[in-house]
Amino acid sequence: MSVLRITGGRALRGSVRVHGAKNSVLPIFAACLVARGVTVIHNCPNIADVDAAMQILIHLGCKAERDGDTVTVDTSTMTNAEVPHSLMQEMRSSVIFLGSILGRCGEASISTPGGCELGPRPIDMHLAALRQLGAEITDNGGSLVCRANRLRGAKITLRSPSVGATENAILAACFAEGTTVISNAAREPEISDLQRYLRALGITVLGAGTPTIVVEGRLVRVDTAHRVIPDRIVAVTYLCAAAATGGEITLTDVNPAHFTTVTDALTNMGCAITRTGDSVTLSASGRLYALEPVMTEPYPGFPTDAQAGLMAACLRAQGTTSFIENIFDNRYRHADEMRRFGANIKLEGRVALVTGVKSLKAAPVKSPDLRGGAALVIAALSAEGTSEVSDIHHIDRGYDDLAGALTQLGAEIVRIDS
Ligand code: EPU
């Protein structure tokens, strides 16, 4: 079991490069099935979820090889339309492969991703979208079999702007005859990155970043290259860490426009933030201030993935900040662990009330999930004494060497693998 041992109290200083976005790479891997050729993907983070997605591609008969932060995927050799239960369980977002496997093979067989640490994560909108495109789907007690001899373009209106359902609908639509119009689509930057990749393949995809996306399906056989956008959630994790500890850090290779809701919040807390092109600098000194209510919303609203990190930055702020989690039912599991540091957090359903305390004390804590685990690292960095964060396999799913990056910024943090 691996742990991060962290001695808090050091202000973070220096500069760190932000790696590519997990939530972009995963759908782009699924989109490689559309290419039917070789895709060279640059800026691919070395994280467990990317490894799991590479294993899925290999299981499907494709080739996927890593060289540094470049992954080369060849889907011309695809032979299999089934993702086994073991791979589905490794990464809940493996459901993102459903639309493109179905489109490519005329069938797809996966198990339903289980109930997750963030609460139930149904896939009804994914399935409804695929059915509208012509898929027949049977659910044999957790194992889904999808078939479609032909997919046909359709008008799809999502009940809410689900990121994964938007991606699955776009990918299946690439194989459909005719035009698909997806309304109430998710507007996240990762959807725009997917559109950019598909356009490089020669597919007509319009509207990413708006609620209406139009896809013209067509058969392609293309070799291409793609550079994944920077990970906006990794970026804000580092910013929240520097806000919590004080100091001054610069992030390079970021797109600050992708996380203005978070930088605005940090500015309102009393941090000074400057942006220049693809970098952002945050400096913080003294006690920060509590915020007006922070409500998580689909993009361009405040991201649910940044809620835990910002909460960690609020633990010692002056006053009370209320968080309202609107996306997932169970995304406050870090709160119980944060209380071990002496944090004052009251939970009432979707609302968490965080009243800043003067100081936090080191404690042993367990990562409950990916972003919650990273938030506990932030809390430990700002606590007095030496803490241990365990269950860090959750953190490894989305952060490429978090301990290394924080060490570069002057944190006292070591990873102990046993
Ligand atoms: N939902 C349904 N039915 C569906 C699909 C979603 O009810 O068919 C609900 C979900 O249960 C949730 C809400 O809709 O309450 C939003 O879910 P969404 O589908 O947008 O999320 P996702 O595609 O499963 C992606 C990210 C998450 C991120 C969310 C929201 C990837 C691989 N994952 O998940 O990232 O929190 O969007 O922005 O892109 C993370 O990186 O830590 C992470 C959890």
Side-chain angles (χ1 to χ4, degrees):
M1 200 186 72
S2 304
V3 297
L4 291 173
R5 187 170 294 159
I6 299 162
T7 302
R10 284 200 182 193
L12 297 187
R13 290 189 193 285
S15 163
V16 72
R17 183 189 161 266
V18 171
H19 62 67
K22 163 178 89 77
N23 292 346
S24 256
V25 183
L26 301 178
I28 285 168
F29 273 13
C32 287
L33 298 178
V34 178
R36 293 178 166 85
V38 177
T39 301
V40 181
I41 307 170
H42 300 292
N43 205 24
C44 223
N46 198 348
I47 54 176
D49 274 11
V50 169
D51 288 346
M54 288 171 70
Q55 287 313 311
I56 290 176
L57 284 168
I58 290 166
H59 181 87
L60 295 174
C62 307
K63 294 184 188 121
E65 282 171 13
R66 174 182 286 280
D67 179 11
D69 71 354
T70 297
V71 173
T72 303
V73 176
D74 180 355
T75 62
S76 64
T77 55
M78 183 180 188
T79 48
N80 191 357
E82 176 249 345
V83 182
H85 183 69
S86 54
L87 287 175
M88 286 300 296
Q89 290 307 311
E90 258 187 55
M91 187 181 58
R92 231 154 294 272
S93 50
S94 43
V95 71
I96 254 155
F97 280 85
L98 187 59
S100 53
I101 297 177
L102 176 70
R104 175 84 183 256
C105 302
E107 59 178 343
S109 163
I110 65 163
S111 59
T112 42
C116 163
E117 62 266 348
L118 308 180
R121 286 176 83 173
I123 56 167
D124 55 308
M125 284 190 266
H126 300 240
L127 302 185
L130 298 181
R131 285 190 173 110
Q132 280 182 272
L133 291 165
E136 281 176 23
I137 305 175
T138 45
D139 183 349
N140 304 317
S143 132
L144 289 176
V145 180
C146 310
R147 281 184 217 289
N149 291 335
R150 276 166 75 184
L151 293 173
R152 289 211 179 86
K155 286 198 161 70
I156 297 169
T157 302
L158 298 177
R159 185 181 74 241
S160 63
S162 154
V163 175
T166 301
E167 291 164 347
N168 245 330
I170 292 173
L171 291 175
C174 290
F175 296 92
E177 282 170 27
T179 305
T180 297
V181 180
I182 305 164
S183 305
N184 202 21
R187 297 161 63 187
E188 270 66 1
E190 292 75 20
I191 305 279
S192 301
D193 204 22
L194 178 63
Q195 170 174 284
R196 204 164 49 86
Y197 171 70
L198 292 170
R199 282 187 178 176
L201 300 184
I203 308 250
T204 303
V205 189
L206 305 167
T210 77
T212 307
I213 295 178
V214 179
V215 184
E216 301 272 356
R218 76 180 268 248
L219 194 141
V220 292
R221 202 174 293 279
V222 182
D223 295 341
T224 189
H226 182 82
R227 185 176 172 82
V228 171
I229 56 170
D231 196 312
R232 61 196 166 102
I233 305 301
V234 169
V236 302
T237 301
Y238 297 149
L239 294 180
C240 289
T245 62
E248 179 168 317
I249 67 164
T250 297
L251 306 181
T252 59
D253 214 354
V254 291
N255 185 339
H258 288 169
F259 49 87
T260 50
T261 47
V262 184
T263 43
D264 287 352
L266 291 167
T267 305
N268 291 339
M269 289 179 78
C271 301
I273 295 185
T274 48
R275 301 166 210 186
T276 42
D278 66 354
S279 77
V280 54
T281 299
L282 175 145
S283 81
S285 59
R287 206 168 171 200
L288 300 176
Y289 304 103
L291 286 165
E292 294 292 305
V294 178
M295 274 177 273
T296 67
E297 286 168 343
Y299 193 86
F302 187 92
T304 175
D305 293 344
Q307 174 255 106
L310 187 66
M311 187 181 290
C314 288
L315 296 180
R316 290 193 302 143
Q318 213 168 314
T320 299
T321 303
S322 51
F323 287 83
I324 300 138
E325 172 57 54
N326 289 315
I327 307 295
F328 290 108
D329 287 346
N330 190 14
R331 213 169 193 185
Y332 284 137
R333 294 202 312 152
H334 45 275
D336 281 344
E337 299 296 311
M338 285 174 171
R339 287 196 192 105
R340 292 174 190 271
F341 294 112
N344 180 349
I345 306 174
K346 287 196 182 70
L347 293 183
E348 291 164 19
R350 290 189 171 273
V351 179
L353 296 174
V354 180
T355 302
V357 292
K358 284 245 161 66
S359 63
L360 299 169
K361 295 267 178 305
V365 290
K366 272 189 188 174
S367 302
D369 52 57
L370 167 57
R371 306 303 172 189
L376 294 175
V377 170
I378 297 174
L381 289 170
S382 61
E384 290 165 9
T386 302
S387 301
E388 270 193 11
V389 181
S390 58
D391 284 3
I392 61 171
H393 56 276
H394 291 298
I395 299 175
D396 293 339
R397 287 186 36 225
Y399 293 84
D400 187 342
D401 193 13
L402 180 62
L406 291 170
T407 302
Q408 196 176 319
L409 295 173
E412 211 174 324
I413 173 169
V414 281
R415 182 187 178 107
I416 300 160
D417 289 311
S418 57

